[in-house]
Structure formats: structure tokens, C-alpha cells
Amino acid sequence: MVKKRNWFGRIFEGIMLASTVIGHWIIFYFIFVTACKDQAEAARLTLALPSEWKLWENIQYVMTFNNGLFVKSFWNSLRLTVCSIAILVFTSAMTAFILQRKRGWISKVSDKLIIAGLIVPASVIPTYWVLSLLGIANTLTGLTLVEVATLFPFAVMMYKGFIATLPRELDEAAVIDGCGSVRLFFRIIFPLLKPITMAVIILRSIVVYNDFQNPQYFMSGSDSQTVQLCVYLFKSSFTSHYGRLMAAVIIVSVPLLLLYIFLNKHIMEGMTIGAVKG
């Protein structure tokens, strides 16, 4: 029997819901309104509507800033995100499948190392030293490997929980039909991982695309900087012109907004199924 909530609980729930909605949407409203103002009005940092709408002018300035530096940085961030997530999805899915299906001391040790990767932070100086030895320091290739290594433990744990819900009879039936290990994974198992794959893509794309720390450490002085570093340069270039700064923030937010709109329905499906067993 479900117990009905009293009036106090309903009022409290309504207040918390309204506070959450207002607290989140007022930020988006402030960013948009500020991006539509000229330098003088934007410097006041108020919620008032602009007397003259300057959104398109601010966006044009951002796109042409410093000979198209923002556009180049934007393209670098998209390349970094796509390449990092593609490598992460395939490597973590294959690793999780092997660790989940093959039991033994190697799998147990690997599990402990992966969990340690979730806890122990990466050391900057040794990592940069290794990238220098490989000849990929201050490059998008090196930064891509850093992003994959950083996100790998979390993705493996998510995939392991989901793969645990898939019956082993699928593997046995595929092997009887003549499937090898590679064909078994890519033809049978991987298509079934679509829900958790979508969740990994969305959650980890946000982390890579918005990452400021790793590009700051491993791309210092590089021409292939990411868009987050470029936005930081906007702040230092014209501190008082918040209209152009907020216009840059709006442009940066568009890819993640589109990603969420098209793939959001898969997030909860993938995470809840993977949490059932593991």
C-alpha cells in the first residue's frame, strides 16, 4: 500500500523543484541576455534586456577574432572529442568484455588496477615526459591519448556492469556456429551494447569537450589549442566586454546541446540496465 504524502511534503517538493528549475534556467537566461548587449550594458552584469540587440555582431566578432583563432580552436575540440570517444568506446568495451567473461587471477588484478585508476589522479610531469619520448607532446594526438587514459577506468566499469546482464549462452551459441573471438564481439556482443555505449558517449563527450585542465597542461604553447583555452583568452583579451565572452560561451555550448537532444533518451536506459547486475 502506497502512503499518501501530506501537504507539507508536497509544498516542500514544489519549492525544491521550483528552486532547481529557476536556479538552472536563470543562468542560461543571463548568458543569452548578456551576449545580446554591447560593451557598456554587458559590463553591468544585470538581467535586464538589452536596449539594442547585439547578438549577431558579437558572434561575428568571435568567429573572426585573431584571424579565425576561435574557429580553429573549435574544430580542434571537435576532433579531440570525436577521436577520444571513438577510441574509448572500442577499447573499454573490448576490455570489459574480456574481464567479464574470463575469470582468473589476471582479471582480478586488472579489476583492482582499473579501480585504482578511478581513485589515483594522473601525474602531470611523468605523463608529459612519456609524451615527449613518444614525440607527441603538445599535439592533439598526445592529448587524445591522455583523455582516453583518464576516462578509461570509468567506461570499463560501466561496460562491465552492462555486459554482466548478457547471458553467456549467446557466446556459446556463436562459438558453436563458428564465430571467432573478434567476430563474436563485433557481430554479436557490441550491437547489444548500444544503450550503454550511448550513455558513455554522452557522459564522456561532455568531459572531453569541456576539459580545461589537460589541454592547459599538455598543450601549453601549442598552435592546436582547444576551444576552452580560447575562451579563456577571450576573458584576458577584453575583460570588460562580457557580451562577446558570453557569445563565445553560447557557440561552445551548441555541440553538447545537440548531442544531448538527440541521445538523451539512451542515458538512463544504459545506466540503469548496467546497474542491475555486476
Side-chain angles (χ1 to χ4, degrees):
M1 181 177 180
V2 180
K3 184 178 180 180
K4 294 183 178 180
R5 294 171 294 177
N6 54 28
W7 62 270
F8 178 78
R10 294 179 179 179
I11 293 176
F12 180 76
E13 180 180 326
I15 293 175
M16 295 302 296
L17 179 62
S19 301
T20 302
V21 172
I22 294 174
H24 281 78
W25 282 104
I26 198 171
I27 298 176
F28 297 110
Y29 171 79
F30 171 76
I31 293 174
F32 177 77
V33 169
T34 305
C36 297
K37 298 178 179 178
D38 57 21
Q39 184 174 2
E41 289 187 333
R44 299 171 189 167
L45 299 177
T46 64
L47 298 177
L49 293 174
S51 58
E52 186 177 359
W53 296 83
K54 295 287 186 177
L55 178 61
W56 181 242
E57 288 81 353
N58 291 335
I59 290 178
Q60 281 184 318
Y61 182 90
V62 169
M63 301 299 287
T64 59
F65 171 71
N66 198 5
N67 297 322
L69 177 62
F70 182 85
V71 177
K72 296 176 183 177
S73 301
F74 188 79
W75 173 241
N76 289 336
S77 289
L78 292 180
R79 288 166 53 196
L80 172 67
T81 303
V82 172
C83 293
S84 299
I85 297 303
I87 297 174
L88 176 69
V89 165
F90 285 108
T91 56
S92 59
M94 288 186 286
T95 302
F97 177 67
I98 294 174
L99 294 179
Q100 182 63 42
R101 290 300 196 243
K102 295 185 179 295
R103 294 299 183 181
W105 67 271
I106 296 181
S107 295
K108 293 181 180 179
V109 172
S110 299
D111 285 339
K112 298 298 186 296
L113 292 176
I114 291 173
I115 294 175
L118 291 171
I119 303 172
V120 180
S123 182
V124 177
I125 296 178
T127 303
Y128 191 86
W129 177 72
V130 172
L131 294 178
S132 299
L133 290 179
L134 297 175
I136 54 176
N138 294 327
T139 64
L140 281 178
T141 302
L143 183 58
T144 299
L145 296 180
V146 172
E147 296 289 357
V148 173
T150 304
L151 305 178
F152 183 77
F154 177 84
V156 170
M157 297 303 294
M158 290 188 67
Y159 272 113
K160 277 195 63 180
F162 190 92
I163 293 174
T165 65
L166 302 179
R168 291 177 178 269
E169 287 75 12
L170 287 174
D171 305 8
E172 297 172 357
V175 171
I176 293 175
D177 289 339
C179 280
S181 300
V182 176
R183 187 179 178 187
L184 166 64
F185 177 79
F186 285 102
R187 296 290 299 273
I188 306 298
I189 302 300
F190 191 71
L192 299 176
L193 303 181
K194 180 180 178 181
I196 193 65
T197 298
M198 295 297 104
V200 170
I201 289 175
I202 296 176
L203 297 177
R204 299 298 90 181
S205 293
I206 295 174
V207 175
V208 176
Y209 185 76
N210 287 331
D211 191 11
F212 181 85
Q213 178 177 300
N214 286 331
Q216 178 73 5
Y217 289 155
F218 303 108
M219 297 287 288
S220 179
S222 173
D223 294 333
S224 302
Q225 65 179 353
T226 61
V227 73
Q228 305 302 333
L229 296 180
C230 186
V231 172
Y232 181 74
L233 292 179
F234 269 71
K235 179 63 172 62
S236 60
S237 297
F238 38 86
T239 306
S240 60
H241 206 315
Y242 290 99
R244 293 170 180 170
L245 176 61
M246 294 305 174
V249 172
I250 291 177
I251 298 173
V252 170
S253 304
V254 169
L256 294 182
L257 179 62
L258 295 177
L259 182 69
Y260 177 79
I261 290 175
F262 288 106
L263 301 180
N264 73 88
K265 65 179 181 180
H266 298 286
I267 296 180
M268 292 307 300
E269 181 183 359
M271 297 191 68
T272 53
I273 294 178
V276 174
K277 181 180 177 181

